[in-house]
Amino acid sequence: MGAPDSSRRSAPDAETTLLWVLIGAVVLCVGAVTVAVHLGSALAGDGQKLPANPFELFFGLFTHKVGWPPAATWVLMVLGVVIVMLGAAVVGIVVRRRAKRSRVDAAARHMARGRDLRALGLRGAAATAERLGVKGSPGVPVGRTVLGRQMVYGSWEDMHLDVWGPRTGKTTSRAIPAILAAPGAVLVTSNKRDIVDGTRDVRATADGPVWVFDPQSVALEEPSWWWNPLSYVTDEVRAARLADHFASGSRGPDARTDAYFDPAGQDLLAGLLLAAALDHRPITQVHTWLTRPADDEAVDILRTHGYAQTADAVGGVVNAPEKQRGGVYGTALQMASCLTNRQVAHWVTTQGPDDSRRQFDPAAFVRSKGTLYSLSKEGKGTAGPLVTALTVAVVEAAEELAVHSPGGRLPTPMVGVLDEAANVCRWRELPNLYSHYGSRGIVLMTILQSWSQGVEVWGRDGMRKLWSAANIKVYGGGVAEAEFLNELAQLVGEYRYTNTTRNSSRQGTTTSHDHDRKERTLDVSDLAALPRGRAIMFASGTPAALLETVPWMNGPHAQAVRASIAAHDPANRPAPAPARAGTSAGVSDG
């Protein structure tokens, strides 16, 4: 089990509770009277010798062995007022705390706390950061423990995997705080603009430029810079990886694949990507070749540059029977469908010799403290393959830098927040690489809306591999998948408690104790209905912990984030000018 068994006693019955209330009232009354008499005597200066035993003094007042000083009345009144005020304050605190408590908070007593989370607390995380040479930030904030209210952090060598249902606060409580805590470069993927609007101005510095890759106008960003995907393709291996991003990104979750045409189409796409890169063509040339099955120009380019086997493979498809060739080309054309979008093309191709826009260089980016936001929509014609390709290019550039850095780690960790990873960044090899990146100082946080989303992209075994490779796993609620939640409930564990039973009869009252009763700390229904503002954290080497989420609104950058959101609110932007006759909106007439 994920958590050790805990122990508890049964709740006291009404008789026991009443007895303790009476004892408390007696002690309070006797104590107040004793203090009043002592102070009253001291103020009056009557020299009365008072018993040391409070109860002897109290009962001595009734037998007239002890005199009641007149000043004691005023002292008792003042004490009464103080006691009432303190009682009201205590009741108010209790009421406020109960109002903030959720129905699952009682489970925190049987989950990780105190020593269990020492390494993840502020002091432990800061010590780890110092060991790794990171200054100014203890780690990636995760949340605050419900019991003890201890802030916990993921270290700069921990990998994160989050499963949060829709509208549960994953962006405000996990994605944005992680971006703001990063000491170096940050890579972000998403399908919404809120994460960009809230952090871009906070992240922007002289040595940390902001790049927003927005080929589908999710954030209405203009293509003021461009990135050449073929700059990533340096050999046939990288060409195959880029083709795989196009293949996985262009298929829907329920799309059926063909055992022959899909692999053949992907291989053809890889060959054409390599040919275009070798001949310094734009990536849109690949789509042009795919619309001309009889064109063997790519074959000649590959052969000229010494890639004979790849040339033979592409040539074999070009010279195949018409029906076979049409199937392979049609499959590859579908994979590269996003290249038909002119808006997308503006972001990945130069616009002629007079194009003065900056070109994005992943190798230079990972050496800076910049921030890259890659945005895409889901569905047909999505730019997801390009978002995935750009993400992989940056991560591999960071890995290359880490390999040649002291200790084999990045001097300053890079944070990658892969929000909506199953929709816009379908990186098929991610589960196999996850644990490796942590040792390189590349801290990734993959955020999914459900377990099933991950299974659609990586398969059941791949998703389990990704889950196991993550050092920090966070469930934020909003998921209704019984199988997944049942496994979480098992990982949270059980607790032991003693059940006391009293039976009354004519012969008297008998009491029995059952010392080995067990219950799940949180059941499937509790996890399915996890209240907003609560999360379950599974960290390597510690029991499961119940956390209170800490949104950016309660963090140190709240004012700066609000200012950034206001500055980039679409409502504050001027309306676009209407297109002139004979032109299309957004397309120059010259």
Side-chain angles (χ1 to χ4, degrees):
M1 292 297 175
D5 288 335
S6 302
S7 299
R8 66 161 182 149
R9 294 285 177 181
S10 299
D13 55 24
E15 295 177 359
T16 304
T17 302
L18 179 60
L19 177 61
W20 280 108
V21 169
L22 290 175
I23 291 174
V26 169
V27 169
L28 185 64
C29 180
V30 172
V33 169
T34 300
V35 171
V37 171
H38 276 279
L39 288 177
S41 295
L43 292 173
D46 55 11
Q48 182 179 196
K49 188 176 181 180
L50 300 174
N53 189 325
F55 286 94
E56 183 181 348
L57 183 150
F58 182 80
F59 289 109
L61 291 170
F62 295 98
T63 58
H64 302 290
K65 292 181 179 180
V66 177
W68 178 262
T73 303
W74 295 103
V75 174
L76 189 62
M77 292 174 61
V78 172
L79 287 175
V81 172
V82 171
I83 291 172
V84 170
M85 293 177 63
L86 288 175
V90 170
V91 170
I93 292 173
V94 171
V95 169
R96 283 195 297 272
R97 285 192 175 183
R98 286 186 175 274
K100 291 181 179 180
R101 291 182 61 185
S102 74
R103 59 181 176 276
V104 299
D105 284 1
R109 293 183 297 147
H110 313 296
M111 299 172 70
R113 55 181 175 175
R115 293 182 180 178
D116 298 325
L117 301 171
R118 182 176 296 173
L120 301 175
L122 179 59
R123 183 176 298 179
T128 303
E130 184 178 355
R131 175 175 60 83
L132 297 173
V134 182
K135 298 180 180 179
S137 181
V140 177
V142 183
R144 184 181 288 112
T145 57
V146 168
L147 198 64
R149 298 185 61 77
Q150 175 187 7
M151 193 68 191
V152 294
Y153 302 83
S155 76
W156 295 119
E157 55 186 357
D158 288 337
M159 306 296 282
H160 300 244
L161 178 60
D162 284 49
V163 179
W164 298 60
R167 313 307 304 166
T168 52
K170 60 184 173 62
T171 300
T172 58
S173 300
R174 283 290 277 155
I176 290 180
I179 294 169
L180 299 178
V186 174
L187 167 67
V188 184
T189 68
S190 185
N191 60 358
K192 298 183 292 293
R193 65 175 299 151
D194 55 351
I195 197 169
V196 183
D197 293 347
T199 59
R200 62 186 299 172
D201 285 357
V202 188
R203 286 284 307 172
T205 60
D207 56 348
V210 169
W211 308 77
V212 182
F213 185 67
D214 189 21
Q216 291 185 278
S217 292
V218 175
L220 303 178
E221 192 77 11
E222 294 295 328
S224 58
W225 57 277
W226 70 288
W227 171 64
N228 181 12
L230 295 180
S231 63
Y232 170 79
V233 179
T234 55
D235 53 31
E236 63 269 46
V237 175
R238 287 198 164 191
R241 291 178 189 170
L242 183 55
D244 185 64
H245 302 327
F246 277 94
S248 59
S250 61
R251 297 190 188 113
D254 301 321
R256 293 185 178 182
T257 59
D258 185 274
Y260 171 75
F261 285 110
D262 278 85
Q266 189 171 325
D267 290 342
L268 173 62
L269 180 58
L272 297 181
L273 288 167
L274 179 58
L278 292 171
D279 205 42
H280 305 291
R281 303 286 188 92
I283 194 171
T284 50
Q285 179 64 51
V286 174
H287 189 273
T288 302
W289 281 332
L290 288 173
T291 60
R292 301 170 183 173
D295 189 345
D296 60 356
E297 182 184 18
V299 178
D300 295 336
I301 294 173
L302 291 167
R303 203 174 301 281
T304 299
H305 287 82
Y307 291 89
Q309 287 77 17
T310 307
D312 291 341
V314 175
V317 179
V318 173
N319 297 316
E322 185 176 352
K323 181 175 285 190
Q324 178 183 347
R325 180 180 62 190
V328 175
Y329 266 81
T331 302
L333 191 63
Q334 183 62 34
M335 294 176 181
S337 60
C338 67
L339 299 178
T340 61
N341 189 324
R342 289 181 301 167
Q343 189 176 5
V344 171
H346 284 321
W347 287 91
V348 293
T349 59
T350 183
Q351 302 301 300
D354 297 328
D355 193 346
S356 60
R357 295 179 300 163
R358 298 174 297 168
Q359 182 175 355
F360 181 78
D361 180 6
F365 172 78
V366 298
R367 288 169 169 80
S368 72
K369 292 186 178 181
T371 310
L372 171 64
Y373 302 92
S374 296
L375 306 178
S376 173
K377 299 176 182 177
E378 306 103 71
K380 189 175 182 180
T382 174
L386 293 172
V387 168
T388 305
L390 180 53
T391 300
V392 174
V394 170
V395 172
E396 290 190 3
E399 183 182 12
E400 181 69 17
L401 175 60
V403 169
H404 294 91
S405 298
R409 295 180 56 85
L410 289 176
T412 304
M414 184 183 82
V415 174
V417 178
L418 308 183
D419 190 18
E420 299 290 347
N423 292 324
V424 301
C425 186
R426 301 165 74 89
W427 185 356
R428 196 140 47 182
E429 288 299 311
L430 188 61
N432 299 324
L433 302 169
Y434 218 57
S435 60
H436 169 71
Y437 286 138
S439 64
R440 297 296 187 190
I442 304 169
V443 179
L444 299 182
M445 177 189 293
T446 303
I447 304 177
L448 305 172
Q449 288 192 9
S450 67
W451 179 270
S452 298
Q453 268 195 342
V455 173
E456 288 173 353
V457 179
W458 299 293
R460 183 173 293 271
D461 292 339
M463 184 58 193
R464 289 189 179 279
K465 184 183 294 186
L466 185 65
W467 179 266
S468 297
N471 309 99
I472 303 288
K473 297 172 275 284
V474 180
Y475 169 66
V479 175
E481 298 174 339
E483 182 181 358
F484 168 61
L485 297 180
N486 185 55
E487 292 190 9
L488 287 188
Q490 294 180 50
L491 291 173
V492 171
E494 298 176 332
Y495 67 91
R496 285 193 179 96
Y497 67 96
T498 299
N499 188 55
T500 302
T501 305
R502 289 188 177 88
N503 295 312
S504 299
S505 64
R506 293 181 178 178
Q507 287 75 29
T509 301
T510 60
T511 303
S512 61
H513 301 279
D514 185 353
H515 295 284
D516 201 26
R517 295 287 291 269
K518 289 184 179 180
E519 283 188 14
R520 277 188 170 182
T521 303
L522 289 170
D523 212 339
V524 171
S525 58
D526 298 319
L527 295 171
L530 193 69
R532 187 182 176 95
R534 294 293 182 269
I536 312 293
M537 179 188 71
F538 303 89
S540 298
T542 67
L546 181 62
L547 303 181
E548 174 189 346
T549 60
V550 182
W552 62 261
M553 292 81 80
N554 297 336
H557 302 283
Q559 186 174 354
V561 173
R562 289 190 180 95
S564 182
I565 292 173
H568 298 282
D569 191 325
N572 297 331
R573 290 190 175 189
R580 291 178 295 173
T583 65
S584 299
V587 181
S588 172
D589 59 354

